Amino acid sequence: MPMTYAEHERKKKSPAVCELFSLRDLPEGENIMVRTNGAFVAGYELRGILGYFATDGDRNQTKAMLEALFRSVPDVSMRIQFRYEISERLGDLFDNYVNEQRASQPEVTALDAHRLRMWREKEQAGYFFENQLQVYYVWDPRIHAKLYHSAEQNRKLGGFTLSQAKAIQRARKEHENFRAEFESILRGIEGSMEAANLGSRRLTTQELFEALKHAQHPTRRDHRAYVPPEQMIEYRSARDQTADASILNETETYLNIDGYLYDVVSLKELPDATFPGMLQNFSTLGFRSWSAARW
């Protein structure tokens, strides 16, 4: 059925949720995301630094290591995003505990069942907290090429052709060259993170896919596997598979996504100093179930 002009204008004003994502593709086996502007994204899960009981010397050494980490990052072509989340839940810890049980004695299984029931009651009452710290490196290869590549290299990547096959081959070769350069930059960053004792672990393609869905619905854990669009019976892009929520309402002060109200707080000035345990105040807020993210 043909679409009227009024319906077309209405569709442009209210696009689908997946069209709002700056995600282009999740290449299989490459552990990266490709954004709509061509930028590459790699994510890491960090253990963090336990600085509450550290001495002044230990904190100064950690500060020097972090400064070395930031100096290893390209200053113009790469951006860093941190995500720190605190939630009143334990995720899949109980399910993993049950799956790892190997005891067959009835006394032991009865004791474990009692412990699980007690732990679940405490989790529902908000006794447990789950902390997650992740860092994402967003690298724009186009800006990097303009700054660090020669004019001859940029000419080889560019050009115009009417052949569809040659255009696809050139785009694939360009992607492989950029990905190899991105991986070489990440090797240096990973070494700096290991020196800073951050306990980094790179996120896989499946974990990046789950992180995108979890950001839309903080209390729901969907472990559905990501399927490359080429392997599906009906083509579904990565953005289409990632969209797992609906925007119910949008105002000037908040955004309602699947019944959760999202708001953004901006700081005009950074604090003069930071102290260990500053984020501990978040855990004393009187919310039944909530998630806080810091980018």
Side-chain angles (χ1 to χ4, degrees):
M1 184 176 180
M3 183 183 300
T4 63
Y5 181 77
E7 293 177 359
H8 176 69
E9 291 295 326
R10 192 182 307 113
K11 186 177 180 180
K12 288 199 305 182
K13 293 181 180 179
S14 300
V17 176
C18 65
E19 296 296 331
L20 302 176
F21 296 159
S22 59
L23 172 67
R24 174 60 62 192
D25 193 12
L26 288 167
E28 185 180 8
E30 298 184 5
N31 299 333
I32 61 172
M33 289 188 295
V34 181
R35 305 187 65 179
T36 52
N37 62 349
F40 292 179
V41 183
Y44 292 86
E45 183 181 17
L46 304 180
R47 185 183 64 244
I49 299 174
L50 183 59
Y52 191 84
F53 299 101
T55 62
D56 293 340
D58 294 337
R59 294 175 185 170
N60 290 333
Q61 182 180 2
T62 303
K63 176 177 176 292
M65 291 296 181
L66 292 177
E67 290 178 351
L69 168 62
F70 291 127
R71 282 195 295 267
S72 64
V73 176
D75 53 351
V76 178
S77 60
M78 180 173 286
R79 295 187 296 113
I80 305 178
Q81 293 182 355
F82 287 92
R83 178 181 177 87
Y84 182 73
E85 182 178 344
I86 306 174
S87 57
E88 291 184 356
R89 60 192 303 275
L90 294 179
D92 301 331
L93 181 61
F94 292 151
D95 296 334
N96 295 335
Y97 179 80
V98 173
N99 295 331
E100 295 296 330
Q101 288 180 349
R102 297 294 182 268
S104 57
Q105 292 84 354
E107 296 83 2
V108 177
T109 55
L111 181 60
D112 283 339
H114 175 71
R115 287 174 176 172
L116 282 172
R117 184 169 58 253
M118 180 180 59
W119 291 338
R120 292 186 187 278
E121 291 177 356
K122 287 188 176 181
E123 183 191 20
Q124 294 177 0
Y127 279 83
F128 302 132
F129 292 92
E130 181 186 26
N131 300 331
Q132 288 187 350
L133 176 60
Q134 296 176 344
V135 59
Y136 296 90
Y137 297 97
V138 185
W139 181 68
D140 194 331
R142 300 290 183 178
I143 298 178
H144 187 84
K146 291 180 180 179
L147 294 176
Y148 301 102
H149 291 180
S150 63
E152 183 179 356
Q153 288 177 312
N154 292 330
R155 269 196 307 271
K156 289 182 179 179
L157 294 176
F160 177 76
T161 178
L162 297 176
S163 174
Q164 182 179 5
K166 290 184 178 180
I168 293 175
Q169 293 175 1
R170 184 191 60 192
R172 184 63 187 179
K173 182 179 179 181
E174 182 182 4
H175 171 77
E176 293 295 340
N177 293 336
F178 283 149
R179 188 174 70 88
E181 191 169 4
F182 183 44
E183 293 293 337
S184 65
I185 296 175
L186 291 179
R187 295 289 85 80
I189 295 175
E190 290 175 358
S192 300
M193 290 191 295
E194 291 178 2
N197 197 21
L198 294 177
S200 61
R201 182 185 66 85
R202 185 161 180 179
L203 300 180
T204 62
T205 303
Q206 175 65 26
E207 290 174 333
L208 292 172
F209 177 64
E210 293 178 1
L212 289 171
K213 294 191 296 182
H214 175 65
Q216 304 170 54
H217 205 292
T219 61
R220 182 171 58 196
R221 294 288 184 176
D222 186 2
H223 297 289
R224 183 181 58 210
Y226 169 71
V227 181
E230 298 80 8
Q231 300 179 9
M232 304 186 71
I233 299 176
E234 181 182 357
Y235 183 88
R236 290 187 61 194
S237 63
R239 283 192 295 178
D240 192 7
Q241 296 184 53
T242 304
D244 198 25
S246 301
I247 299 178
L248 303 181
N249 191 16
E250 182 178 1
T251 65
E252 296 181 356
T253 57
Y254 68 88
L255 190 65
N256 188 344
I257 302 179
D258 276 357
Y260 287 85
L261 304 183
Y262 290 82
D263 201 354
V264 178
V265 179
S266 300
L267 299 178
K268 294 183 178 179
E269 297 180 0
L270 294 176
D272 296 334
T274 58
F275 303 95
M278 287 183 63
L279 294 177
Q280 187 67 22
N281 295 328
F282 282 112
S283 62
T284 61
L285 296 178
F287 292 102
R288 171 61 189 88
S289 179
W290 64 284
S291 295
R294 181 182 180 185
W295 292 83

